[in-house]
Amino acid sequence: MPPAKSAAPAAKTTTSAATKKKGSQPWLHQQGREIQRFGTIRQFPVGLSAETRMYSCERLNQVLADTQILYALYKKHHWLMRGPTFYQLHLLLDKHAGEQLELVDAIAERVQTLGGIAVGDPRHVAELTRVPRPPDGAEEVPAMLSRLLEAHEMILTDAHDAAAKSAAMADDGTNDLLVSQVIRTGELEAWFLAEHLVDTPVVQTDETIKEATKAGGGARR
């Protein structure tokens, strides 16, 4: 019977400098140059002229900046809500905030689709927005709602104008985004907010009926 063969010696493992570089350690603290400046566009084959795409990106970035601030206002007022209508307004403002956040993403992606740079840094947003800054503390509830309504109207006015001009320039995608998403969402949310500022008593008393009749010029026959 032949003697048993001894096991082959284990292969030596060596760790070279190249192997270490290919390991799983992240390369941290990397820095790079700016490869596209804000306010410029790249050439994309989307069937629109550079002039049209540049114009749409400028208008969309303004709407985007204001919409990001509106989203932040909704969250601020959602957190700071108080009073007898706390529960319903707390939930409503959070719902609206979620809808505005969806608009932020849609507008930003439209800017990128056109070859532009979407405004994203909150500090840059603060430089571009036209929505007035609220106090750092809490305001009375009607003031909170009025502030939201004023921001809505500012955005809607701009969106209507931008939609009309983008349509005239044959930028149908931008027009569709502004009309079907920004404007329709904003109008619906403004309606819900405005109805909370109507001073209507829960129960009509004789006194309130008399005052309403007097203000309306008397009952009709």
Side-chain angles (χ1 to χ4, degrees):
M1 182 174 179
K5 293 182 179 180
S6 59
K12 291 183 179 181
T13 57
T14 58
T15 305
S16 65
T19 304
K20 288 181 179 179
K21 281 187 176 181
K22 293 179 181 178
S24 62
Q25 171 60 40
W27 288 26
L28 305 176
H29 310 299
Q30 298 191 52
Q31 295 183 4
R33 61 186 179 85
E34 187 179 43
I35 59 175
Q36 183 183 354
R37 295 183 61 83
F38 180 81
T40 64
I41 57 170
R42 291 183 288 167
Q43 182 58 46
F44 277 0
V46 293
L48 293 170
S49 69
E51 179 186 3
T52 296
R53 291 185 294 111
M54 177 68 81
Y55 179 81
S56 292
C57 286
E58 290 174 357
R59 297 302 300 265
L60 287 169
N61 264 321
Q62 184 62 63
V63 175
L64 177 58
D66 293 336
T67 301
Q68 289 184 67
I69 295 298
L70 178 58
Y71 162 75
L73 282 178
Y74 263 119
K75 293 302 291 187
K76 172 183 170 68
H77 295 159
H78 158 74
W79 296 323
L80 302 184
M81 188 51 59
R82 54 199 62 197
T85 58
F86 168 82
Y87 183 71
Q88 55 265 45
L89 281 175
H90 180 72
L91 296 181
L92 177 66
L93 299 192
D94 200 37
K95 176 179 179 293
H96 284 189
E99 293 168 351
Q100 289 298 316
L101 189 57
E102 290 181 4
L103 288 179
V104 166
D105 197 51
I107 299 167
E109 290 187 353
R110 181 62 188 170
V111 173
Q112 297 303 128
T113 300
L114 294 173
I117 293 287
V119 56
D121 190 315
R123 292 159 294 190
H124 190 188
V125 169
E127 295 172 356
L128 296 182
T129 186
R130 298 163 304 169
V131 178
R133 178 174 176 172
D136 292 336
E139 296 179 282
E140 294 177 341
V141 174
M144 292 185 194
L145 300 182
S146 293
R147 188 177 292 281
L148 290 169
L149 280 170
E150 289 163 7
H152 267 299
E153 186 170 27
M154 181 179 294
I155 293 170
L156 286 168
T157 300
D158 193 29
H160 278 294
D161 182 70
K165 290 181 178 175
S166 62
M169 299 177 76
D171 186 355
D172 300 320
T174 296
N175 173 267
D176 178 64
L177 169 66
L178 291 169
V179 173
S180 63
Q181 295 187 57
V182 175
I183 292 175
R184 289 180 180 171
T185 299
E187 288 176 342
L188 191 64
E189 290 180 357
W191 170 40
F192 274 67
L193 291 176
E195 292 296 352
H196 282 84
L197 292 176
V198 177
D199 186 17
T200 302
V202 178
V203 177
Q204 291 285 349
T205 64
D206 291 340
E207 184 177 349
T208 56
I209 293 174
K210 288 179 182 178
E211 289 179 357
T213 303
K214 188 183 299 184
R220 295 181 179 177
R221 294 185 179 179

PDB file of all heavy atoms in Angstrom, residues 166-188:
ATOM      1  N   SER A 166     -45.254  79.627 -21.576  1.00  0.00           N
ATOM      2  CA  SER A 166     -44.642  78.368 -22.014  1.00  0.00           C
ATOM      3  C   SER A 166     -45.473  77.726 -23.123  1.00  0.00           C
ATOM      4  O   SER A 166     -44.931  77.110 -24.035  1.00  0.00           O
ATOM      5  CB  SER A 166     -44.484  77.407 -20.830  1.00  0.00           C
ATOM      6  OG  SER A 166     -45.742  77.070 -20.268  1.00  0.00           O
ATOM      7  N   ALA A 167     -46.793  77.900 -23.047  1.00  0.00           N
ATOM      8  CA  ALA A 167     -47.652  77.390 -24.119  1.00  0.00           C
ATOM      9  C   ALA A 167     -47.380  78.140 -25.422  1.00  0.00           C
ATOM     10  O   ALA A 167     -47.329  77.539 -26.504  1.00  0.00           O
ATOM     11  CB  ALA A 167     -49.121  77.522 -23.735  1.00  0.00           C
ATOM     12  N   ALA A 168     -47.190  79.452 -25.325  1.00  0.00           N
ATOM     13  CA  ALA A 168     -46.905  80.251 -26.523  1.00  0.00           C
ATOM     14  C   ALA A 168     -45.567  79.869 -27.145  1.00  0.00           C
ATOM     15  O   ALA A 168     -45.371  80.027 -28.355  1.00  0.00           O
ATOM     16  CB  ALA A 168     -46.914  81.737 -26.164  1.00  0.00           C
ATOM     17  N   MET A 169     -44.657  79.347 -26.316  1.00  0.00           N
ATOM     18  CA  MET A 169     -43.340  78.939 -26.815  1.00  0.00           C
ATOM     19  C   MET A 169     -43.306  77.450 -27.156  1.00  0.00           C
ATOM     20  O   MET A 169     -42.238  76.898 -27.410  1.00  0.00           O
ATOM     21  CB  MET A 169     -42.272  79.270 -25.775  1.00  0.00           C
ATOM     22  CG  MET A 169     -42.177  80.759 -25.461  1.00  0.00           C
ATOM     23  SD  MET A 169     -40.974  81.161 -24.166  1.00  0.00           S
ATOM     24  CE  MET A 169     -39.435  81.005 -25.071  1.00  0.00           C
ATOM     25  N   ALA A 170     -44.487  76.804 -27.152  1.00  0.00           N
ATOM     26  CA  ALA A 170     -44.639  75.391 -27.518  1.00  0.00           C
ATOM     27  C   ALA A 170     -43.963  74.433 -26.538  1.00  0.00           C
ATOM     28  O   ALA A 170     -43.672  73.297 -26.879  1.00  0.00           O
ATOM     29  CB  ALA A 170     -44.121  75.127 -28.934  1.00  0.00           C
ATOM     30  N   ASP A 171     -43.739  74.896 -25.301  1.00  0.00           N
ATOM     31  CA  ASP A 171     -43.215  74.008 -24.265  1.00  0.00           C
ATOM     32  C   ASP A 171     -44.408  73.366 -23.558  1.00  0.00           C
ATOM     33  O   ASP A 171     -44.798  73.763 -22.464  1.00  0.00           O
ATOM     34  CB  ASP A 171     -42.334  74.778 -23.275  1.00  0.00           C
ATOM     35  CG  ASP A 171     -41.662  73.858 -22.267  1.00  0.00           C
ATOM     36  OD1 ASP A 171     -41.958  72.649 -22.274  1.00  0.00           O
ATOM     37  OD2 ASP A 171     -40.848  74.359 -21.470  1.00  0.00           O
ATOM     38  N   ASP A 172     -44.974  72.351 -24.206  1.00  0.00           N
ATOM     39  CA  ASP A 172     -46.200  71.734 -23.711  1.00  0.00           C
ATOM     40  C   ASP A 172     -45.997  71.009 -22.381  1.00  0.00           C
ATOM     41  O   ASP A 172     -46.897  70.963 -21.547  1.00  0.00           O
ATOM     42  CB  ASP A 172     -46.738  70.753 -24.748  1.00  0.00           C
ATOM     43  CG  ASP A 172     -47.049  71.432 -26.074  1.00  0.00           C
ATOM     44  OD1 ASP A 172     -47.572  72.562 -26.041  1.00  0.00           O
ATOM     45  OD2 ASP A 172     -46.767  70.852 -27.135  1.00  0.00           O
ATOM     46  N   GLY A 173     -44.820  70.438 -22.178  1.00  0.00           N
ATOM     47  CA  GLY A 173     -44.562  69.726 -20.934  1.00  0.00           C
ATOM     48  C   GLY A 173     -44.581  70.646 -19.737  1.00  0.00           C
ATOM     49  O   GLY A 173     -45.171  70.325 -18.694  1.00  0.00           O
ATOM     50  N   THR A 174     -43.937  71.797 -19.862  1.00  0.00           N
ATOM     51  CA  THR A 174     -43.930  72.771 -18.773  1.00  0.00           C
ATOM     52  C   THR A 174     -45.333  73.327 -18.545  1.00  0.00           C
ATOM     53  O   THR A 174     -45.780  73.486 -17.404  1.00  0.00           O
ATOM     54  CB  THR A 174     -42.940  73.909 -19.079  1.00  0.00           C
ATOM     55  OG1 THR A 174     -41.613  73.364 -19.133  1.00  0.00           O
ATOM     56  CG2 THR A 174     -42.994  74.987 -18.018  1.00  0.00           C
ATOM     57  N   ASN A 175     -46.034  73.627 -19.624  1.00  0.00           N
ATOM     58  CA  ASN A 175     -47.405  74.115 -19.506  1.00  0.00           C
ATOM     59  C   ASN A 175     -48.292  73.102 -18.793  1.00  0.00           C
ATOM     60  O   ASN A 175     -49.072  73.455 -17.892  1.00  0.00           O
ATOM     61  CB  ASN A 175     -47.967  74.423 -20.889  1.00  0.00           C
ATOM     62  CG  ASN A 175     -49.450  74.768 -20.857  1.00  0.00           C
ATOM     63  OD1 ASN A 175     -50.295  73.891 -21.022  1.00  0.00           O
ATOM     64  ND2 ASN A 175     -49.759  76.030 -20.637  1.00  0.00           N
ATOM     65  N   ASP A 176     -48.161  71.836 -19.155  1.00  0.00           N
ATOM     66  CA  ASP A 176     -48.978  70.794 -18.531  1.00  0.00           C
ATOM     67  C   ASP A 176     -48.673  70.663 -17.044  1.00  0.00           C
ATOM     68  O   ASP A 176     -49.580  70.534 -16.217  1.00  0.00           O
ATOM     69  CB  ASP A 176     -48.728  69.460 -19.233  1.00  0.00           C
ATOM     70  CG  ASP A 176     -49.514  68.323 -18.605  1.00  0.00           C
ATOM     71  OD1 ASP A 176     -50.759  68.362 -18.641  1.00  0.00           O
ATOM     72  OD2 ASP A 176     -48.879  67.401 -18.061  1.00  0.00           O
ATOM     73  N   LEU A 177     -47.398  70.703 -16.685  1.00  0.00           N
ATOM     74  CA  LEU A 177     -47.007  70.617 -15.276  1.00  0.00           C
ATOM     75  C   LEU A 177     -47.600  71.765 -14.468  1.00  0.00           C
ATOM     76  O   LEU A 177     -48.170  71.564 -13.389  1.00  0.00           O
ATOM     77  CB  LEU A 177     -45.481  70.630 -15.160  1.00  0.00           C
ATOM     78  CG  LEU A 177     -44.900  70.797 -13.753  1.00  0.00           C
ATOM     79  CD1 LEU A 177     -45.235  69.602 -12.889  1.00  0.00           C
ATOM     80  CD2 LEU A 177     -43.401  71.018 -13.823  1.00  0.00           C
ATOM     81  N   LEU A 178     -47.475  72.978 -15.006  1.00  0.00           N
ATOM     82  CA  LEU A 178     -47.958  74.150 -14.270  1.00  0.00           C
ATOM     83  C   LEU A 178     -49.472  74.144 -14.127  1.00  0.00           C
ATOM     84  O   LEU A 178     -50.004  74.457 -13.056  1.00  0.00           O
ATOM     85  CB  LEU A 178     -47.491  75.425 -14.973  1.00  0.00           C
ATOM     86  CG  LEU A 178     -45.981  75.702 -14.911  1.00  0.00           C
ATOM     87  CD1 LEU A 178     -45.605  76.841 -15.854  1.00  0.00           C
ATOM     88  CD2 LEU A 178     -45.556  76.030 -13.488  1.00  0.00           C
ATOM     89  N   VAL A 179     -50.172  73.768 -15.199  1.00  0.00           N
ATOM     90  CA  VAL A 179     -51.637  73.811 -15.167  1.00  0.00           C
ATOM     91  C   VAL A 179     -52.219  72.637 -14.389  1.00  0.00           C
ATOM     92  O   VAL A 179     -53.016  72.817 -13.467  1.00  0.00           O
ATOM     93  CB  VAL A 179     -52.212  73.845 -16.601  1.00  0.00           C
ATOM     94  CG1 VAL A 179     -53.733  73.719 -16.566  1.00  0.00           C
ATOM     95  CG2 VAL A 179     -51.806  75.130 -17.306  1.00  0.00           C
ATOM     96  N   SER A 180     -51.823  71.424 -14.757  1.00  0.00           N
ATOM     97  CA  SER A 180     -52.479  70.240 -14.187  1.00  0.00           C
ATOM     98  C   SER A 180     -52.011  69.897 -12.783  1.00  0.00           C
ATOM     99  O   SER A 180     -52.729  69.217 -12.045  1.00  0.00           O
ATOM    100  CB  SER A 180     -52.250  69.029 -15.104  1.00  0.00           C
ATOM    101  OG  SER A 180     -50.882  68.709 -15.185  1.00  0.00           O
ATOM    102  N   GLN A 181     -50.816  70.376 -12.399  1.00  0.00           N
ATOM    103  CA  GLN A 181     -50.325  70.038 -11.060  1.00  0.00           C
ATOM    104  C   GLN A 181     -50.208  71.266 -10.158  1.00  0.00           C
ATOM    105  O   GLN A 181     -50.861  71.335  -9.121  1.00  0.00           O
ATOM    106  CB  GLN A 181     -48.976  69.319 -11.176  1.00  0.00           C
ATOM    107  CG  GLN A 181     -49.101  67.969 -11.881  1.00  0.00           C
ATOM    108  CD  GLN A 181     -47.808  67.182 -11.853  1.00  0.00           C
ATOM    109  OE1 GLN A 181     -47.257  66.898 -10.792  1.00  0.00           O
ATOM    110  NE2 GLN A 181     -47.301  66.839 -13.028  1.00  0.00           N
ATOM    111  N   VAL A 182     -49.389  72.234 -10.545  1.00  0.00           N
ATOM    112  CA  VAL A 182     -49.149  73.378  -9.667  1.00  0.00           C
ATOM    113  C   VAL A 182     -50.424  74.195  -9.449  1.00  0.00           C
ATOM    114  O   VAL A 182     -50.822  74.470  -8.305  1.00  0.00           O
ATOM    115  CB  VAL A 182     -48.031  74.276 -10.236  1.00  0.00           C
ATOM    116  CG1 VAL A 182     -47.864  75.529  -9.375  1.00  0.00           C
ATOM    117  CG2 VAL A 182     -46.720  73.503 -10.318  1.00  0.00           C
ATOM    118  N   ILE A 183     -51.084  74.568 -10.533  1.00  0.00           N
ATOM    119  CA  ILE A 183     -52.251  75.446 -10.412  1.00  0.00           C
ATOM    120  C   ILE A 183     -53.428  74.717  -9.785  1.00  0.00           C
ATOM    121  O   ILE A 183     -54.058  75.228  -8.843  1.00  0.00           O
ATOM    122  CB  ILE A 183     -52.626  76.026 -11.791  1.00  0.00           C
ATOM    123  CG1 ILE A 183     -51.534  77.000 -12.258  1.00  0.00           C
ATOM    124  CG2 ILE A 183     -53.979  76.729 -11.746  1.00  0.00           C
ATOM    125  CD1 ILE A 183     -51.732  77.553 -13.657  1.00  0.00           C
ATOM    126  N   ARG A 184     -53.747  73.538 -10.271  1.00  0.00           N
ATOM    127  CA  ARG A 184     -54.926  72.845  -9.747  1.00  0.00           C
ATOM    128  C   ARG A 184     -54.755  72.446  -8.293  1.00  0.00           C
ATOM    129  O   ARG A 184     -55.692  72.551  -7.493  1.00  0.00           O
ATOM    130  CB  ARG A 184     -55.234  71.630 -10.622  1.00  0.00           C
ATOM    131  CG  ARG A 184     -55.787  72.028 -11.987  1.00  0.00           C
ATOM    132  CD  ARG A 184     -56.101  70.849 -12.867  1.00  0.00           C
ATOM    133  NE  ARG A 184     -56.618  71.282 -14.161  1.00  0.00           N
ATOM    134  CZ  ARG A 184     -56.813  70.487 -15.192  1.00  0.00           C
ATOM    135  NH1 ARG A 184     -56.539  69.192 -15.096  1.00  0.00           N
ATOM    136  NH2 ARG A 184     -57.274  70.958 -16.340  1.00  0.00           N
ATOM    137  N   THR A 185     -53.562  72.003  -7.922  1.00  0.00           N
ATOM    138  CA  THR A 185     -53.315  71.663  -6.515  1.00  0.00           C
ATOM    139  C   THR A 185     -53.391  72.911  -5.647  1.00  0.00           C
ATOM    140  O   THR A 185     -54.005  72.900  -4.574  1.00  0.00           O
ATOM    141  CB  THR A 185     -51.930  71.002  -6.360  1.00  0.00           C
ATOM    142  OG1 THR A 185     -51.895  69.804  -7.123  1.00  0.00           O
ATOM    143  CG2 THR A 185     -51.648  70.672  -4.902  1.00  0.00           C
ATOM    144  N   GLY A 186     -52.761  73.989  -6.110  1.00  0.00           N
ATOM    145  CA  GLY A 186     -52.760  75.228  -5.333  1.00  0.00           C
ATOM    146  C   GLY A 186     -54.148  75.815  -5.151  1.00  0.00           C
ATOM    147  O   GLY A 186     -54.490  76.297  -4.067  1.00  0.00           O
ATOM    148  N   GLU A 187     -54.943  75.799  -6.214  1.00  0.00           N
ATOM    149  CA  GLU A 187     -56.302  76.348  -6.114  1.00  0.00           C
ATOM    150  C   GLU A 187     -57.148  75.560  -5.120  1.00  0.00           C
ATOM    151  O   GLU A 187     -57.900  76.141  -4.326  1.00  0.00           O
ATOM    152  CB  GLU A 187     -56.957  76.337  -7.496  1.00  0.00           C
ATOM    153  CG  GLU A 187     -56.395  77.371  -8.452  1.00  0.00           C
ATOM    154  CD  GLU A 187     -56.995  77.270  -9.844  1.00  0.00           C
ATOM    155  OE1 GLU A 187     -57.573  76.219 -10.187  1.00  0.00           O
ATOM    156  OE2 GLU A 187     -56.880  78.255 -10.607  1.00  0.00           O
ATOM    157  N   LEU A 188     -57.031  74.241  -5.155  1.00  0.00           N
ATOM    158  CA  LEU A 188     -57.813  73.407  -4.245  1.00  0.00           C
ATOM    159  C   LEU A 188     -57.399  73.635  -2.796  1.00  0.00           C
ATOM    160  O   LEU A 188     -58.252  73.762  -1.905  1.00  0.00           O
ATOM    161  CB  LEU A 188     -57.643  71.937  -4.618  1.00  0.00           C
ATOM    162  CG  LEU A 188     -58.587  70.941  -3.931  1.00  0.00           C
ATOM    163  CD1 LEU A 188     -60.036  71.212  -4.334  1.00  0.00           C
ATOM    164  CD2 LEU A 188     -58.192  69.514  -4.270  1.00  0.00           C
TER     165      LEU A 188
END
